[in-house]
Each structure stands twice: as structure tokens, then as C-alpha cells.
Amino acid sequence: MTAAPPTPVKDDYYDLVSVVQASLHYAWQMKQYIDDAERDGDKELAEWFRKIQHNNEKAGEQGKQMLAARLSKG
């Protein structure tokens, strides 16, 4: 197993922004998965994807708040 390459910037802001971006992107991506499951009539799977979407939206919003608070401190 190979190690992941190091991040270009070793800094908490970079890490926070990366996680916010990934969380919100994944929440957006879940919409397609929900649509696919509903199209196939799989309500259970669609609901599970909705829960994942909700959790990622929540994490993204929390991360945005944390970033805004840190940036306002200067």
C-alpha cells in the first residue's frame, strides 16, 4: 500500500477548506444517487442516501462556520 502524497500546504486552514469542499461536493453528488435509487424504485436506498446527504451538508455548514470564525480573528 502506498502512502498518500503530502498535502501541498501543511496548515489547518487548508485542511478545513479541503474537508468543507469534500463534504459539500459529496452532499451534491448524493442527489444523483438519490435520483437513481428512486428511479429504480428502491426507497430504502434513496432514504439512506438522503441521510448521508444530510450529514455531509451539516458537516459542510459547520466547517464553513468554523472557517468564517477563524478568518474573522485574523
Side-chain angles (χ1 to χ4, degrees):
M1 185 163 104
T2 61
T7 59
V9 179
K10 289 213 164 252
D11 150 315
D12 289 341
Y13 286 103
Y14 177 88
D15 295 344
L16 181 53
V17 169
S18 293
V19 171
V20 168
Q21 185 277 332
S23 294
L24 295 176
H25 176 77
Y26 203 50
W28 173 79
Q29 192 175 19
M30 285 295 108
K31 174 68 172 118
Q32 181 63 53
Y33 299 160
I34 292 164
D35 291 347
D36 291 347
E38 288 177 340
R39 182 195 63 235
D40 294 341
D42 194 335
K43 292 180 183 183
E44 180 183 31
L45 186 57
E47 184 58 30
W48 186 68
F49 287 146
R50 277 190 196 87
K51 289 177 185 177
I52 294 169
Q53 183 181 45
H54 173 76
N55 289 339
N56 277 279
E57 287 171 349
K58 184 176 176 181
E61 289 302 319
Q62 289 172 341
K64 287 183 346 185
Q65 291 172 4
M66 291 175 68
L67 182 61
R70 282 164 172 71
L71 292 173
S72 69
K73 291 179 185 177

